[in-house]
Amino acid sequence: MEKKIPQATAKRLPLYYRFILNLHNQGKTRVSSKELSDAVKVDSATIRRDFSYFGALGKKGYGYNVEYLLQFFKDTLEQDAITEVALIGVGNLGTALINYNFSQSNNTKIVMAFDRSKRTAKTENGNIPIYSIEQLEEKLNGVEVAILTVPAAAAQDIADRLIDCGIKGIVNFTPARLTIPDDVRIHHIDLSVELQSFIYFLKNYPMNE
Ligand code: ATP
């Protein structure tokens, strides 16, 4: 791959990957941009543009080669390597994320969690250890990605500690805007903002325009 994939396209990669993997598992060898578009709800012009970055050129009457796409997505998303993730804050949201089996659709795995409270949350998907937040530095052990589901007021302090441990990326579910160095990547996922903006769009653009 020569060209760098634009961020907006990169964001859709896992979505495409999941769908292509399903097709492959069903024994399908090709897919049209219309089928893709219907399945992933991305318009077909965007799909064609995205896929041109993947070096996949759809042919009229044939569509895209599923095998090629699958290999591309695997290579690009490094699906063969499991990314280990630490989760900080085992409250309602944190527990839900722990119990959600991410590795079914991608190779991401929450391998440990931390909380300030001593209770050990019950986890459905096995034996994820839940340590005291005091043990963060001791236990993190090279894990490079963290999910933050602590209250907003605790977020910066924990982010600072994670950064000192060499964390590479933080998925921040708290509403706090965090100050982090340039070489650490952060994604903010604020569910209440998402919901609010969704409702705004629902009310103001009822026809999906
Ligand atoms: P719950 O109802 O279980 O408290 P919640 O998600 O509504 O869930 P929050 O107040 O958002 O609760 O806290 C989330 C989790 O983060 C809790 O389990 C809490 O113990 C933990 N927590 C709070 N402060 C810290 C901290 N400084 N370090 C680590 N964990 C913390």
Side-chain angles (χ1 to χ4, degrees):
M1 180 190 55
E2 295 297 321
K3 274 183 266 178
K4 200 158 159 36
I5 299 174
Q7 284 203 20
T9 302
K11 270 195 173 175
R12 290 187 283 270
L13 265 173
L15 193 67
Y16 294 143
Y17 172 69
R18 190 160 45 183
F19 180 65
I20 294 293
L21 185 62
N22 278 339
L23 286 182
H24 180 76
N25 290 342
Q26 291 162 23
K28 298 242 168 71
T29 55
R30 52 190 184 158
V31 61
S32 69
S33 50
K34 167 89 171 65
E35 272 175 279
L36 272 161
S37 171
D38 291 346
V40 298
K41 305 277 180 275
V42 174
D43 67 275
S44 40
T46 305
I47 287 188
R48 280 194 291 274
R49 199 182 53 233
D50 283 355
F51 279 35
S52 72
Y53 289 111
F54 311 155
L57 301 171
K59 294 193 202 90
K60 265 230 151 59
Y62 178 87
Y64 294 97
N65 183 307
V66 168
E67 191 77 43
Y68 173 89
L69 285 172
L70 189 62
Q71 195 54 49
F72 176 85
F73 293 143
K74 276 189 175 161
D75 293 346
T76 311
L77 295 167
E78 292 178 323
Q79 291 291 325
D80 295 337
I82 289 195
T83 304
E84 298 192 326
V85 179
L87 180 139
I88 328 290
V90 192
N92 289 316
L93 184 56
T95 306
L97 292 174
I98 288 175
N99 290 332
Y100 182 76
N101 190 2
F102 290 105
S103 47
Q104 235 166 35
S105 51
N106 67 53
N107 285 5
T108 320
K109 192 164 191 284
I110 297 175
V111 291
M112 63 178 75
F114 297 88
D115 200 282
R116 136 179 112 166
S117 118
K118 291 252 181 312
R119 81 204 137 130
T120 35
K122 268 198 198 147
T123 64
E124 284 164 13
N125 67 341
N127 309 307
I128 294 171
I130 299 170
Y131 302 115
S132 156
I133 191 68
E134 282 148 36
Q135 294 174 283
L136 185 69
E137 288 76 6
E138 175 196 335
K139 297 287 186 186
L140 204 57
N141 198 22
V143 170
E144 292 181 335
V145 178
I147 294 177
L148 274 190
T149 44
V150 289
Q156 184 67 56
D157 176 52
I158 290 173
D160 292 344
R161 288 174 64 185
L162 287 166
I163 290 158
D164 286 345
C165 294
I167 208 87
K168 296 257 174 64
I170 296 174
V171 184
N172 177 24
F173 277 91
T174 82
R177 298 288 106 166
L178 302 176
T179 308
I180 48 149
D182 289 343
D183 58 350
V184 175
R185 178 164 276 275
I186 187 156
H187 271 209
H188 298 279
I189 303 180
D190 188 329
L191 294 176
S192 41
V193 168
E194 289 291 331
L195 194 58
Q196 201 172 24
S197 105
F198 172 76
I199 288 164
Y200 175 83
F201 275 89
L202 201 64
K203 284 186 179 152
N204 292 282
Y205 303 91
M207 301 304 285
N208 236 357
E209 276 157 11

